[in-house]
Amino acid sequence: AQSVTQLGSHVSVSEGALVLLRCNYSSSVPPYLFWYVQYPNQGLQLLLKYTTGATLVKGINGFEAEFKKSETSFHLTKPSAHMSDAAEYFCAVTDPSGGSYIPTFGRGTSLIVHP
Amino acid sequence: DAGVTQSPTHLIKTRGQQVTLRCSPKSGHDTVSWYQQALGQGPQFIFQYYEEEERQRGNFPDRFSGHQFPNYSSELNVNALLLGDSALYLCASSLGTSGANVLTFGAGSRLTVL
C-alpha cells in the first residue's frame, strides 16, 4: 500500500529565502506524484506533477520538484519565497501498480512567509 | 469556464441527523471523487463515481453514501451523524479514472456536527 510522509507540519521562511518542503513516499513501483496547494477557504489546486520522463518537474508560480527514486522523495522547492506563497501544501501519490488509481495525500505542510 | 462548485458552503447539524452535500464537476469532466479533510489533516478519500456507479471506496462506513447523476453531478449523503464527521468535505472532478489525472477541487462544504 502506498503512503506519503510530509516532514514538518509547519515551515517558516523569510521573504526572498529558499523554500523547501519535503515529501517521501512508499510505493512498490515508481508512482505518479503530485503537489497541490490550498489557500485559505479554497480548494486544492495543482502546482505540478510527475508521471514519466524528466525527473525535474517545473510547476506554476516558480515551484519545482525532483523525483528521486533512490531516495523515494519528491521535495518541492522555490528559490525565492513571496508573501503570496503562504498556504498549505499537500504531496500526493498514486501507485499505478495497485489497481486503485486513487491518490493518497500527505498530512500537509503549512508554509509561513515572514516579511 | 466554471470549475467545481459545491453546496452548501457551510452547514451545522446535530448528532444523529442526516446531511446531503452536492457537487457539480468542471465542464468536460465525467468523474467525481469525494474527500473528507479533518482540521490539520490531508484529504482522505471517501469514494469515486464514474458512469453513475461507485467505482472505488475508501475506508469509510456505510453511513457514507453517494450518487452520480447523468449530467455527472454528484451527491454525498451521510446518515446518523457523529461528532467525528465534522470536517471539510471536498469534491474533486477529473476526466476519466486514470491515476495520472489531475484532480480539480471545489472549495468544499464545511460540516459542523454538534
Side-chain angles (χ1 to χ4, degrees), chain A residues 32 34 36 38 41-46 49 51 88 90 93-94 96 99-108, chain B residues 10 33 35 37 40-45 48 56 88 90 97-108 110:
Chain A
Y32 302 135
F34 307 82
Y36 286 85
Q38 186 178 30
N41 300 315
Q42 295 186 27
L44 283 70
Q45 56 184 280
L46 181 75
K49 73 172 185 178
T51 54
E88 192 81 15
F90 294 94
V93 175
T94 304
S100 169
Y101 305 118
I102 300 298
T104 298
F105 285 82
R107 296 183 62 172
Chain B
H10 295 81
S33 301
Y35 288 81
Q37 186 179 16
Q41 303 293 319
Q44 298 293 311
F45 173 70
Q48 180 190 72
Q56 297 195 60
L88 180 67
L90 295 168
T97 59
S98 168
N101 286 345
V102 174
L103 299 177
T104 300
F105 283 84
R110 184 164 296 282

Side-chain angles (χ1 to χ4, degrees), chain A residues 8-60:
Chain A
S9 59
H10 295 83
V11 169
S12 181
V13 300
S14 297
E15 193 173 19
L18 171 71
V19 175
L20 171 60
L21 304 182
R22 300 179 185 273
C23 174
N24 289 89
Y25 66 88
S26 66
S27 174
S28 57
V29 299
Y32 302 135
L33 297 159
F34 307 82
W35 275 100
Y36 286 85
V37 61
Q38 186 178 30
Y39 298 102
N41 300 315
Q42 295 186 27
L44 283 70
Q45 56 184 280
L46 181 75
L47 277 176
L48 48 80
K49 73 172 185 178
Y50 168 82
T51 54
T52 61
T55 56
L56 181 62
V57 180
K58 295 185 183 299
I60 62 171

